[in-house]
Amino acid sequence: MKVLVTGAGGMLAQDIVPCLLERGYEAIGLRHDDLDITDLAAVRSAAGSLEPDLVINCAAYTKVDEAETDEYRALMVNGFGVHNLCLVCQGRDIPLVHFSTDYVFDGAKASPYTIYDAPNPINAYGRSKLMGEKYVLWLLNKFYLVRTSWLFGLHGSNFIETMLELGQRQKHTSVVNDQRGCPTWTYHLAQAVVALIETGRYGVYHITNSEATTWFDFAKEIFGLSNVDIEVAPTSSDKLPRPAKRPGNSVLDPYPIPEVLGREMPSWRQALKEYLAQRNTVTKSGV
Ligand SMILES: NC(=O)c1ccc[n+]([C@@H]2O[C@H](COP(=O)([O-])OP(=O)(O)OC[C@H]3O[C@@H](n4cnc5c(N)ncnc54)[C@H](OP(=O)(O)O)[C@@H]3O)[C@@H](O)[C@H]2O)c1
């Protein structure tokens, strides 16, 4: 089976392509320079010459704060870019795997968000991702729409790396304790997504590492496991204002992933331990 992966230079794509190859797929990754998903003719032409059996869209505008002042660009990529992929997948009658975000929710719910909850984004990035979701739902029958959250991976800048860099420079820091979500390792997500496409069960899914936390508790665990001597104080989002508002609760309920895959996702603590071990191997071997 031939799989076309868009946005192949991104953090998630760089775990998805090797995962596909390991499972015996022919995986073709196209980076932003190779294929701009906002260009419908280019998307048609790439699909026409490569003739994929399935497309995995990892291309996205992911700068959450910048999107507040560049909403047009975010909508172009996360909305109209996805629209283009949908048209091409629809025309060729092939499935599309598309990623969305916990930030399509407003965070007001007291319990985890299920796949049946109505999105109501509170920032520009969330609005642009919701537009992409709508095109998938409107235009396609064969799709896996996968919402995920708080990604970290070996091939991109992420919260863990930010904390570890900070730990080298500072003896004290403050981290927000009023946003709750599910940190997710791109490697675990990639494995789950490849397993999901093997089920053939199309639909909307929430895939994250299991168990929820706050950025504050996540940071404490990162420093603890990495033996970084730093004092971490909890703070609130209003004391550390950022251009984009974040939902207070963006915990995603995994139903029906455990039923469909026949297993639970590993916990974020387990994922963090494995990530740190792999990261240290890569750093030591100088790769
Ligand atoms: N990161 C998170 O915490 C998080 C959380 C929830 C959901 N998600 C979703 O998960 C997916 C993967 O995220 P990620 O963290 O791997 O993102 P990422 O590292 O920012 O990768 C996105 C890739 O898309 C490329 N791209 C941007 N515009 C493009 C265009 N018009 N055409 C083709 N490629 C384009 C980017 O290339 P350039 O950099 O060269 O522009 C980049 O290589 C996204 O759908 C994202 O919305 C991410």
Side-chain angles (χ1 to χ4, degrees):
M1 188 179 187
K2 200 193 267 188
V3 180
L4 170 59
V5 180
T6 58
M11 183 166 71
L12 175 58
Q14 289 188 69
D15 273 338
I16 286 195
V17 169
C19 197
L20 287 165
L21 294 171
E22 267 164 36
R23 295 285 300 174
Y25 292 88
E26 186 183 347
I28 302 157
L30 295 182
R31 304 166 79 94
H32 192 172
D33 286 349
D34 307 318
L35 176 65
D36 180 344
I37 63 165
T38 65
D39 181 344
L40 178 57
V43 177
R44 276 198 209 289
S45 155
S49 58
L50 297 169
E51 300 191 318
D53 302 298
L54 181 141
V55 175
I56 302 184
N57 180 35
C58 292
Y61 181 104
T62 55
K63 298 174 198 130
V64 176
D65 286 320
E66 282 89 329
E68 292 300 308
T69 45
D70 198 7
E71 189 159 0
Y72 173 78
R73 185 76 207 143
L75 286 169
M76 279 300 287
V77 181
N78 297 339
F80 293 112
V82 179
H83 163 264
N84 293 341
L85 293 168
C86 289
L87 286 188
V88 169
C89 287
Q90 185 196 51
R92 305 184 71 83
D93 195 27
I94 57 171
L96 174 69
V97 178
H98 177 63
F99 294 97
S100 191
T101 170
D102 53 331
Y103 285 4
V104 295
F105 295 116
D106 61 18
K109 195 180 173 193
S111 54
Y113 283 93
T114 74
I115 56 167
Y116 306 110
D117 284 315
N120 181 32
I122 56 171
N123 60 40
Y125 167 74
R127 287 192 290 275
S128 72
K129 293 297 289 183
L130 180 58
M131 183 182 247
E133 288 195 3
K134 286 183 175 171
Y135 284 126
V136 172
L137 296 169
W138 285 331
L139 296 172
L140 296 180
N141 295 318
K142 297 180 179 175
F143 65 85
Y144 304 90
L145 174 53
V146 177
R147 294 196 190 111
T148 187
S149 63
W150 296 24
L151 292 185
F152 58 91
L154 288 172
H155 309 285
S157 49
N158 62 66
F159 182 75
I160 302 173
E161 298 305 323
T162 306
M163 287 300 111
L164 292 177
E165 271 169 39
L166 208 140
Q168 290 183 340
R169 289 184 275 112
Q170 291 177 205
K171 284 282 155 223
H172 311 270
T173 192
S174 303
V175 180
V176 294
N177 200 25
D178 56 0
Q179 292 170 32
R180 228 179 142 64
C182 303
T184 302
W185 187 17
T186 48
Y187 176 69
H188 283 161
L189 174 59
Q191 288 182 319
V193 164
V194 174
L196 180 62
I197 62 182
E198 289 173 0
T199 67
R201 290 174 66 172
Y202 303 126
V204 179
Y205 292 97
H206 287 173
I207 308 185
T208 68
N209 278 119
S210 62
E211 298 173 17
T213 187
T214 66
W215 291 113
F216 168 70
D217 285 324
F218 189 26
K220 279 202 308 185
E221 191 77 4
I222 294 165
F223 292 132
L225 289 173
S226 311
N227 297 315
V228 175
D229 185 18
I230 186 169
E231 198 181 299
V232 195
T235 189
S236 54
S237 304
D238 57 351
K239 298 223 175 64
L240 285 181
R242 295 175 73 176
K245 273 204 280 180
R246 267 77 172 167
N249 168 35
S250 66
V251 178
L252 298 178
D253 183 316
Y255 175 82
I257 276 296
E259 288 75 8
V260 171
L261 298 188
R263 65 173 174 89
E264 305 274 338
M265 289 293 285
S267 70
W268 66 264
R269 278 198 172 81
Q270 181 61 30
L272 174 60
K273 273 188 208 142
E274 289 181 35
Y275 171 89
L276 290 172
Q278 279 208 13
R279 170 192 190 272
N280 294 340
T281 314
V282 171
T283 314
K284 276 190 195 124
S285 65
V287 179

